Amino acid sequence: MGVNQKSKKYLDDFEEYLKDEKNFSSHTLRAYSADVLTFLIWANEINIEDIDTKKFSEYLYFIGQLNYTKTTIARKIASIRAFYKFLYREEIIDFNPTDTVSGPKRTKNLPNFLSDNEVETILANVKISTPSGFRNRVIFELLWASGMRISELSGLNYENLNLEQNEITVYGKGAKERIVLIPDRTKENLKNYIENVSDLICKTPRGAKDPVFINHNGYRLQNQSIRKALKEVVNNIELSKKVTPHVFRHSFATKLLENGADLRVVQELLGHSSIANTQIYTHVSIQRLKTVYEQTHPRA
């Protein structure tokens, strides 16, 4: 099997479109490109213009035999659909064979989240006696207090901070800009890190474009390092839940809704493009309420 050269050129153009116009992250770009390339390899020398709904359905049957999860299959379909929408927009095709084909329904798994006590236990067990330990605690507290994605936090530069107003500007998926808010305690700990601790890790410039969180070489702290530091703390306290930086984001959203925050406000703070992505947290809150009710009500 090979790839039709004309189709490969279309894929190259699609990648440029995702990168330059859609501002896809490198991770998402690689996933979409790999999904479409796999499809083109399967199609072999068939011209992309000659693939109809029946042929696309055959591909879905093919990948359905490969023991992929429903989530993976849904992503592959989404990648190929985006590719065909691009081709249609560029007037390369006059019919989109993916329009009438539905993928598998994904099982909705409720996000894992932490209670206030669990968060405080994690924070209390970060060893802040070292500069990097203090930095890590500030990072974990910031994730919990703001609902930021880990990539948004690691990407922070000094120009993004407006600590006088307890505001931080972040750039989310698709380079969309939004403001997140932080409480006074988190602000003071962040200021302490900047003013007293950062130079102990590595003395670096603090220009507008310089990173806030750095490693011992003065370079921007990477997502992998943050995940590793959190995993070490969680393993040491033997917390039964799986905890990742994204769990802090889930916990942030769940806590706001449990305390009566408007769904639209939570959507804005999380940077969700669709409120449907935020609504899953209402299910978490309801489940939490049911659990508390069953544990405390005498007739439950």
Side-chain angles (χ1 to χ4, degrees):
M1 281 188 172
V3 178
N4 182 296
Q5 288 307 304
K6 190 163 63 170
S7 297
K8 180 63 170 63
K9 173 63 168 60
Y10 294 152
L11 175 57
D12 293 339
D13 294 341
F14 177 58
E15 290 173 351
E16 288 298 315
Y17 163 74
L18 294 181
K19 179 181 178 182
D20 297 336
E21 294 191 36
K22 302 296 284 185
N23 292 314
F24 274 26
S25 68
S26 58
H27 174 76
T28 305
L29 180 60
R30 283 194 300 271
Y32 271 55
S33 298
D35 290 339
V36 175
L37 180 59
T38 301
F39 172 64
L40 296 179
I41 291 172
W42 174 86
N44 203 4
E45 291 298 324
I46 302 175
N47 288 326
I48 202 74
E49 301 94 326
D50 297 331
I51 295 176
D52 56 14
T53 300
K54 181 175 181 295
K55 198 67 181 174
F56 183 62
S57 297
E58 289 176 12
Y59 179 70
L60 296 187
Y61 177 79
F62 167 72
I63 61 176
Q65 307 307 304
L66 299 180
N67 294 322
Y68 288 126
T69 64
K70 289 182 179 180
T71 300
T72 299
I73 292 176
R75 191 206 68 216
K76 289 180 177 295
I77 294 173
S79 301
I80 299 169
R81 277 194 173 133
F83 178 56
Y84 270 101
K85 284 182 180 179
F86 165 75
L87 297 177
Y88 187 80
R89 192 193 77 156
E90 296 296 308
E91 299 183 351
I92 295 167
I93 59 173
D94 53 18
F95 168 73
N96 186 342
T98 70
D99 274 348
T100 57
V101 178
S102 59
K105 290 186 178 180
R106 285 187 277 184
T107 304
K108 288 187 177 181
N109 296 318
L110 294 181
N112 189 20
F113 67 95
L114 301 166
S115 67
D116 291 355
N117 288 338
E118 288 169 333
V119 172
E120 294 299 337
T121 298
I122 291 172
L123 296 179
N125 280 276
V126 181
K127 297 179 180 178
I128 60 174
S129 55
T130 64
S132 59
F134 189 92
R135 175 204 63 202
N136 292 343
R137 172 166 174 146
V138 171
I139 287 172
F140 301 154
E141 184 175 349
L142 195 53
L143 289 171
W144 156 242
S146 68
M148 273 190 278
R149 299 178 178 92
I150 183 175
S151 58
E152 295 168 347
L153 182 141
S154 63
L156 289 178
N157 297 329
Y158 283 100
E159 66 181 351
N160 302 130
L161 305 181
N162 180 8
L163 297 186
E164 287 188 5
Q165 300 297 322
N166 293 53
E167 297 176 355
I168 299 177
T169 302
V170 300
Y171 295 91
K173 291 183 177 180
K176 292 179 180 177
E177 178 183 317
R178 75 180 190 281
I179 301 294
V180 299
L181 308 175
I182 58 174
D184 287 338
R185 187 183 83 164
T186 304
K187 177 182 73 174
E188 293 305 318
N189 287 336
L190 179 56
K191 287 176 64 177
N192 193 1
Y193 160 77
I194 293 170
E195 295 170 2
N196 303 310
V197 180
S198 180
D199 281 348
L200 299 179
I201 296 174
C202 185
K203 196 170 181 63
T204 58
R206 293 184 189 166
K209 300 293 185 182
D210 291 315
V212 175
F213 295 107
I214 57 174
N215 60 24
H216 288 288
N217 296 316
Y219 296 112
R220 186 181 304 278
L221 192 67
Q222 298 300 303
N223 297 351
Q224 184 179 358
S225 298
I226 298 173
R227 291 192 181 96
K228 181 180 178 182
L230 178 59
K231 184 176 181 180
E232 289 177 356
V233 175
V234 173
N235 286 345
N236 286 339
I237 62 178
E238 298 182 346
L239 194 65
S240 59
K241 293 180 180 177
K242 181 180 179 181
V243 182
T244 66
H246 212 69
V247 170
F248 284 117
R249 180 171 162 87
H250 295 324
S251 306
F252 165 83
T254 304
K255 190 64 179 178
L256 288 182
L257 288 169
E258 285 183 349
N259 286 337
D262 181 83
L263 193 62
R264 291 287 182 184
V265 173
V266 178
Q267 177 192 2
E268 184 68 25
L269 290 172
L270 291 176
H272 284 162
S273 57
S274 169
I275 200 166
N277 296 327
T278 315
Q279 284 176 327
I280 190 171
Y281 294 107
T282 63
H283 300 308
V284 173
S285 297
I286 291 169
Q287 184 59 46
R288 173 68 173 163
L289 291 173
K290 286 181 179 178
T291 300
V292 172
Y293 175 83
E294 290 169 356
Q295 291 176 347
T296 58
H297 195 282
R299 299 207 174 197

